[in-house]
Amino acid sequence: MKKNIDVDYIANLARIKLEKKESSDFSSQLGDIISFVEKLNKVDTKDTPPTTHPLPLMNVFREDKVKESLPAEKALSNAPDKKYSFFKVPKVIEEA
Amino acid sequence: MREERYEAVMGLEVHVQLSTKSKIFCGCSTKFGAEANTKTCPVCLGLPGALPVLNREVLHRAIKVGLALDCRTAKMMKFDRKNYFYPDLPKDFQISQYDLPLAANGRLGILTDGKERTVRIKRVHLEEDAGKLIHMEDEDASLVDFNRTGMPLLEIVSEPDISSPEEAYDYLTQLKTILKYLEVSDCNMEEGSLRCDANISIRPKGQVELGVKTELKNMNTFKGVKNALQYEIKRQGEVLDEGGTIKQETRLWDEAKGRTSPMRTKEEAFDYRYFPEPDLVPFIIDKELVESIRKGLPELPRRRLERFIEDYKLPPAAASLLVNEKEVADYFEDAAGIYKKDAKVVANWITGDIQGELNKRSLSIKELGIKPNDLADMIKMIDEGSITGKIAKGLLADMVETKMNPRKIVESKGLLQIKDKGELDKILYEVIKANPKPVIDYKNGKVNVLTFLVGQVMKATKGKANPKMVNDLLRERMDKL
Ligand SMILES: [Zn+2]
């Protein structure tokens, strides 16, 4: 069964701007992909342990040791805009 | 009354920063107060190709907290990505834990208005902190400092078992006490190492179904949490009374105005689209590790309280005051170990005058600088009769100022109690001579003027005389007149 996907909603969450045509194309394509993957739901997984990670690796740690950080100039070197040693961004404010 | 018609249901989310030396997934320092963007690296800046690796100490501390809150530690845990856009989040996702948190199903006992209650802990999970935003006044821009990104955070989520703002306050106080006992965090709210959000709904009394809840943010003190909840209970009650409905929303507490208001945000739908963090492998937490951490747990406040009441024979109120802060409780035990005669006397000095000095100077007991040995010495001096209780009170302030041993201070300032009868007699004579009227009154049977005369003698000796001795001597002398 073909799924209907709310592409505009997803595009908004991902901050992607879509044209109307793109929106309907992607809706149909994403629907196809989901329907394809949904075939997996038919497989009996009663005795299959859930996969949490594709690698057979566990418990990788680092010790609590301080390493040198980047100098501020380096950290800021890709910033489109900066002020003093801060990244500068359009004002976002959570206020009442 | 509205308060009687509705009952409130509250749950708290506490974020506590674990005080490890380095961040949760990289080696950047966690030191507070560094210059902006000087404690970052490719991992915590989210640069392409950088790989996070879990700090072992972070996991150990988190397990410790879970155990202290009677939680079940997960046999396996993993990390997930919580996706949202905000400029304080360099990767556009936060590494957190979703369906397999570190610990769950715990509880915390609280005591409110003399009533014991248990608040269930829903879950305890690890996550990384976000950066800090500073909003510019003169420009339509915000500044971002990423030093805080990747700081290890533990989120402790309670079940909605809290039924009053006072209980919320006690829950937070008790939780903070435990965290301080565990020495996993400095719990400094001003520096943001302890933060609290609250969920609150109200429902008509007797109704089983929960009301619509609001989420409260931006409370910077425990008292702020209490006030915000009080305000919100009243506000929701008024909305319902007027036939309105509560909107599920996030509201910000404004401490100065004393009210909550809905948060304006550009994100209309918070859909975090959690998915497993592929850059971090899962973690199997084996039994031996958990058991060795459990064995290393310190004595927790509850147990210590019982022991203080039982072993030191302290009244519960005093014991509870001492136990609330680990440093103070340690101090008491040190001093009571030196002055073994009566632990209650030691407790009285600490919960009374010493606590007074701490409040007055807003210092911790360590910063105050009176060594347990010095306090014990001072109490011994009262017992020996070398100083009066009154002198001792002033002496305590001198000890704070000079950081000197009380015996030395008393010697140098000549505060020793006047025990020489002859010396005291001379002063009595002067006082009697200077106050003929009260003396006559006394002779005429007005015995209560004696208090006045004792006061005059105490004044003349600057508190160095023993009031009882003065009392007796005065009587003796005047009866002979
Ligand atoms: Zn880093």
Side-chain angles (χ1 to χ4, degrees), chain B residues 159-217:
Chain B
E159 294 283 0
D161 289 348
I162 299 166
S163 60
S164 73
E166 290 71 30
E167 279 179 20
Y169 184 88
D170 292 335
Y171 170 89
L172 291 171
T173 313
Q174 185 62 19
L175 182 60
K176 182 181 167 184
T177 302
I178 290 174
L179 293 168
K180 293 277 269 187
Y181 268 69
L182 296 173
E183 293 174 333
V184 293
S185 169
D186 49 29
C187 297
N188 190 331
M189 282 193 99
E190 276 145 45
E191 292 178 5
S193 57
L194 189 71
R195 285 169 258 162
C196 175
D197 300 334
N199 286 306
I200 170 162
S201 65
I202 62 168
R203 61 182 167 195
K205 267 202 175 145
Q207 181 182 303
V208 182
E209 197 189 329
L210 289 171
V212 177
K213 67 180 177 188
T214 55
E215 190 184 2
L216 307 183
K217 283 180 184 281

Side-chain angles (χ1 to χ4, degrees), chain B residues 31 89 133 152 169 217 232 308 327 372 438 445 455 467:
Chain B
K31 222 173 178 154
L89 202 63
L133 283 172
Y169 184 88
K217 283 180 184 281
E232 191 62 12
F308 275 18
E327 271 188 10

Side-chain angles (χ1 to χ4, degrees), chain B residues 139-261:
Chain B
E139 232 183 300
D140 201 25
S142 300
L143 302 178
V144 196
D145 174 8
F146 285 127
N147 284 348
R148 208 177 61 187
T149 42
M151 293 283 194
L153 287 186
L154 200 60
E155 182 172 328
I156 301 165
V157 185
S158 85
E159 294 283 0
D161 289 348
I162 299 166
S163 60
S164 73
E166 290 71 30
E167 279 179 20
Y169 184 88
D170 292 335
Y171 170 89
L172 291 171
T173 313
Q174 185 62 19
L175 182 60
K176 182 181 167 184
T177 302
I178 290 174
L179 293 168
K180 293 277 269 187
Y181 268 69
L182 296 173
E183 293 174 333
V184 293
S185 169
D186 49 29
C187 297
N188 190 331
M189 282 193 99
E190 276 145 45
E191 292 178 5
S193 57
L194 189 71
R195 285 169 258 162
C196 175
D197 300 334
N199 286 306
I200 170 162
S201 65
I202 62 168
R203 61 182 167 195
K205 267 202 175 145
Q207 181 182 303
V208 182
E209 197 189 329
L210 289 171
V212 177
K213 67 180 177 188
T214 55
E215 190 184 2
L216 307 183
K217 283 180 184 281
N218 200 37
M219 291 86 75
N220 299 318
T221 57
F222 289 173
K223 208 144 174 265
V225 174
K226 190 161 116 181
N227 294 341
L229 288 169
Q230 253 153 11
Y231 174 87
E232 191 62 12
I233 290 173
K234 194 165 159 270
R235 186 193 71 84
Q236 292 189 7
E238 280 165 5
V239 171
L240 293 186
D241 279 350
E242 285 159 16
T245 48
I246 307 295
K247 221 170 110 192
Q248 178 157 3
E249 62 188 354
T250 300
R251 300 178 68 91
L252 296 183
W253 170 243
D254 186 330
E255 181 78 51
K257 293 189 183 130
R259 63 165 195 225
T260 67
S261 332

Side-chain angles (χ1 to χ4, degrees), chain A residues 69, chain B residues 23 25-29 39-45 149-150:
Chain A
S69 298
Chain B
K23 292 186 179 179
F25 298 123
C26 65
C28 289
S29 165
K39 300 290 171 218
T40 68
C41 72
V43 173
C44 55
L45 282 175
T149 42

Side-chain angles (χ1 to χ4, degrees), chain A residues 59 62 64 67 88 91-92, chain B residues 22 27 135-136 139 284:
Chain A
N59 298 16
R62 40 173 284 273
D64 185 24
K67 283 215 285 198
K88 190 169 155 191
K91 197 174 231 167
V92 248
Chain B
S22 64
H135 305 297
M136 294 180 76
E139 232 183 300
I284 303 284

Side-chain angles (χ1 to χ4, degrees), chain A residues 12-30:
Chain A
N12 179 40
L13 285 177
R15 300 292 186 275
I16 299 171
K17 206 171 170 204
L18 296 179
E19 302 297 328
K20 236 193 148 88
K21 170 88 171 58
E22 289 174 310
S23 179
S24 72
D25 282 357
F26 290 149
S27 174
S28 154
Q29 287 169 11
L30 274 172

